[in-house]
Amino acid sequence: MPSFYVTTPIYYVNAAPHMGHAYTTIVTDVMARHHRQRGEDVFFLTGTDEHGEPVADAAKAQGVEPKELADRNAERFQALMPRLEASNDFFIRTSDDAHKRRVQEVLARVHENGHTYKGLYEGWYCPRCADFKVENEILEGNRCPIHEIELVREQEENWFFRLSSFQDDLERLYADRPDFVMPRERYNEALAFIRSGLQDIPMSRGRLTWGVEVPWDPDHVFYVWFDALLNYYTALSYARDGDDLTERFWPANFHIIGKDILRFHTVFWPAMLMAADLPLPEHVFVHGFLLGADGRKMSKSLGNVLDPFEVIDRWGVDALRFYLLRDVTFGADGATSIDAVQTRYEGELANELGNLASRTIAMIGRYRDGVVPAVDPDPAVVAEFEELVPAVSALIDRADLTPALEEIWRRVRRLNRYVEEQAPWQLAKDEARAADLDCVLRTLAEALRVVTVLLWPWLPSSAERLLAALGAEELSLAEARLDAGRVREVAKLEPLFPKHS
Ligand code: ME8
């Protein structure tokens, strides 16, 4: 059985979960669910990044110990997962002892392999990024390009990682594996950074205690990114009691991340793995940013923030999942607004899918007492569905989640047109056309089932409700064929996407 390992970034616990976190979690969940439907052995990881200066500073400001703040906020991220219907197989916290031990083990190997040295570092540091900035990215007035806050001049004795010695290896990696970083523009961005010349980077902090102790120099803790990136590897070793999953799932197939953390994942991370003699992930997919309705970065002070919980409370989590992947092309940046959620909900979920489901079930009830006629489906529709599953799978293999959804949605629209074209209510008036009506009803029932199975990763609860009403709960893609003849009898279905004011 092929395995599929997919991850989200681990989220900082110095702030509350927001739409950006919900977004990456949802898209990763869509991929995980689709691969499970293919019958693959899937592991989906998410979690929280708890060490480092931002958390230590936030805790200090609140007058609590860092661990206390981390516990409190990690709980909020853990609670977020079921609200998003995220089907993660584990939730890692970098304060887990097993994670810390494994980080020490891996980085001790990096040290023994000769990729570290002690040196003096001086540079412009952003406490929010927990990162030193290089001269050419610093904004006017010494400000952080991401947070726009003033940077601080820092000097300290650190352990360094010899990133510069991986220059050739990284260039070779990019030449050999043009899909290591996706989409293409992000690959180009990462490669340009590598080609501009890599400098060694600090891998420890001497002044901080909130972190993973450097085993060969206990006065230092690892710089948070070294500890954080390794979560993808360490989690597998202890996610299941007494069962180390590393062999089964490493290396990861996809790390899904936002563009703000591109450099860490596309440059530092592969170099670190090389230094530790570990296999590299297959793909890093870098998505864009959700923006406010005004096309600007979402920010509380601009009042343009779309709150995931408000959307879930009003329209349900499926509406949020659908909207985020339908309205914003996955990979690119995109504006978001509550009005756009409502438009997608009413125009597509309610009027297209909801309507197709309710009229299909109602007609089978009215004309055939709820029993689906056991006849062959319409060959014209069968042909139009023939390539659907492989087409959707091929798109998801490239993380093209928006075109994959469009591919399915075209069939939803096609089926609504089919109802109009065939006009079953006319056929029902003419006894001589009973066989035609049988065929139309059979085609609709089975095709509706197929699109619903395919939509399950995007709309898990609605799809499950609808499949239950069709008496066919099988989610496997191997059965997502029109000739499978799974739907035999239909049951009443409450509106899937009720209208709200
Ligand atoms: O960076 N649009 O954590 P973080 C889309 N702990 N996605 C967004 C977004 C937006 N406006 N805002 C945030 C960290 N995200 C580190 C990661 S990984 C080893 C360590 C998403 O809490 C996006 O996935 O700041 C982004 O990369 C991530 O949240 C950053 O989360």
Side-chain angles (χ1 to χ4, degrees):
M1 196 198 292
S3 68
F4 183 77
Y5 179 28
V6 64
T7 67
T8 72
I10 46 170
Y11 306 119
Y12 282 136
V13 288
N14 54 322
H18 56 68
M19 186 57 104
H21 302 129
Y23 181 57
T24 313
T25 307
I26 288 171
V27 300
T28 308
D29 187 58
V30 169
M31 291 177 77
R33 285 177 186 265
H34 169 83
H35 281 270
R36 288 197 197 100
Q37 289 185 290
R38 288 192 198 178
E40 294 174 12
D41 186 20
V42 172
F43 199 82
F44 163 20
L45 180 70
T46 189
T48 41
D49 185 356
E50 306 189 4
H51 293 129
E53 195 147 13
V55 178
D57 286 352
K60 198 164 164 202
Q62 295 178 31
V64 296
E65 287 299 311
K67 182 68 165 73
E68 194 181 328
L69 177 73
D71 285 345
R72 203 190 307 145
N73 281 341
E75 210 171 286
R76 298 169 75 183
F77 280 93
Q78 273 167 318
L80 174 71
M81 301 304 154
R83 290 208 67 190
L84 299 175
E85 296 259 2
S87 61
N88 53 300
D89 294 286
F90 189 58
F91 187 100
I92 187 170
R93 297 186 52 187
T94 55
S95 59
D96 294 343
D97 285 334
H99 165 76
K100 295 195 273 187
R101 279 197 303 275
R102 193 83 163 176
V103 166
Q104 290 179 324
E105 213 178 284
V106 174
L107 293 178
R109 196 154 69 235
V110 171
H111 179 62
E112 283 150 23
N113 287 349
H115 300 299
T116 63
Y117 62 91
K118 206 165 196 178
L120 197 66
Y121 191 86
E122 187 177 340
W124 293 106
Y125 182 83
C126 170
R128 295 265 289 281
C129 292
D131 189 19
F132 284 94
K133 300 286 150 185
V134 290
E135 297 292 341
N136 64 9
E137 62 180 335
I138 295 174
L139 301 182
E140 247 185 43
N142 275 327
R143 281 174 305 114
C144 167
I146 294 169
H147 296 101
E148 298 176 18
I149 58 171
E150 241 184 271
L151 300 171
V152 254
R153 195 72 186 164
E154 291 249 12
Q155 193 191 53
E156 63 180 38
E157 191 167 54
N158 282 325
W159 284 95
F160 276 70
F161 174 60
R162 294 184 197 278
L163 181 64
S164 61
S165 67
F166 290 92
Q167 175 90 32
D168 292 345
D169 292 322
L170 287 171
E171 287 191 30
R172 201 167 317 119
L173 165 71
Y174 276 66
D176 291 348
R177 291 174 46 187
D179 57 1
F180 175 64
V181 177
M182 299 159 83
R184 193 67 188 181
E185 58 172 312
R186 301 299 172 197
Y187 168 98
N188 291 337
E189 185 181 336
L191 183 57
F193 176 74
I194 295 167
R195 285 192 177 142
S196 73
L198 296 176
Q199 294 169 17
D200 295 342
I201 49 172
M203 70 183 292
S204 75
R205 305 289 320 269
R207 266 183 263 163
L208 205 66
T209 51
W210 177 237
V212 180
E213 222 172 69
V214 175
W216 65 89
D217 186 352
D219 289 341
H220 285 241
V221 295
F222 285 112
Y223 169 50
V224 63
W225 274 97
F226 280 79
D227 148 21
L229 285 162
L230 276 167
N231 90 86
Y232 303 131
Y233 179 71
T234 65
L236 294 176
S237 69
Y238 70 97
R240 295 287 175 272
D241 245 354
D243 185 9
D244 189 325
L245 304 176
T246 315
E247 279 281 297
R248 200 162 125 200
F249 292 107
W250 193 260
N253 298 78
F254 269 98
H255 294 309
I256 309 293
I257 60 162
K259 65 181 185 181
D260 50 335
I261 52 180
L262 172 133
R263 203 168 287 175
F264 295 104
H265 284 80
T266 61
V267 183
F268 302 178
W269 177 226
M272 231 166 105
L273 288 168
M274 289 176 189
D277 305 318
L278 291 172
L280 308 189
E282 225 173 277
H283 310 288
V284 177
F285 188 95
V286 187
H287 67 66
F289 257 41
L290 298 179
L291 307 169
D294 48 6
R296 296 164 75 182
K297 194 173 170 197
M298 277 196 242
S299 104
K300 283 209 180 100
S301 56
L302 291 174
N304 63 354
V305 175
L306 183 62
D307 175 9
F309 302 110
E310 187 186 342
V311 174
I312 294 173
D313 290 343
R314 271 176 81 174
W315 292 288
V317 65
D318 284 0
L320 175 67
R321 296 171 65 104
F322 180 78
Y323 166 75
L324 289 175
L325 278 146
R326 185 94 174 126
D327 221 58
V328 178
T329 298
F330 184 55
D333 290 349
T336 57
S337 72
I338 202 93
D339 290 345
V341 180
Q342 178 152 16
T343 303
R344 290 285 177 185
Y345 181 86
E346 288 175 3
E348 297 188 327
L349 289 176
N351 291 349
E352 295 183 343
L353 180 60
N355 190 29
L356 174 67
S358 64
R359 59 186 182 169
T360 298
I361 289 176
M363 288 188 296
I364 296 169
R366 190 172 318 130
Y367 305 132
R368 294 293 181 264
D369 284 330
V371 178
V372 179
V375 297
D376 286 338
D378 187 334
V381 178
V382 172
E384 287 175 54
F385 273 66
E386 205 100 69
E387 289 307 309
L388 181 57
V389 171
V392 169
S393 297
L395 288 166
I396 295 187
D397 279 340
R398 301 201 311 262
D400 276 335
L401 304 184
T402 304
L405 179 55
E406 170 59 18
E407 192 70 28
I408 308 167
W409 210 258
R410 271 178 37 215
R411 278 22 179 239
V412 172
R413 291 187 170 151
R414 170 67 188 110
L415 293 173
N416 275 321
R417 273 202 321 277
Y418 184 70
V419 176
E420 301 303 324
E421 283 163 19
Q422 301 295 325
W425 47 91
Q426 298 292 354
L427 298 177
K429 289 183 190 152
D430 184 354
E431 247 326 293
R433 306 212 53 194
D436 292 340
L437 181 57
D438 281 347
C439 174
V440 170
L441 296 177
R442 174 56 178 264
T443 306
L444 283 172
E446 208 57 25
L448 175 61
R449 184 186 73 82
V450 169
V451 293
T452 307
V453 167
L454 278 160
L455 284 170
W456 176 71
W458 286 267
L459 303 170
S461 2
S462 318
E464 284 169 22
R465 273 181 58 208
L466 177 48
L467 290 172
L470 297 176
E473 277 150 303
E474 177 62 54
L475 291 168
S476 157
L477 291 182
E479 295 291 311
R481 302 185 321 265
L482 250 67
D483 59 2
R486 288 255 169 193
V487 190
R488 304 217 164 83
E489 222 176 308
V490 298
K492 196 169 152 28
L493 176 70
E494 293 301 320
L496 281 177
F497 305 104
K499 292 255 161 71
H500 304 282
S501 53

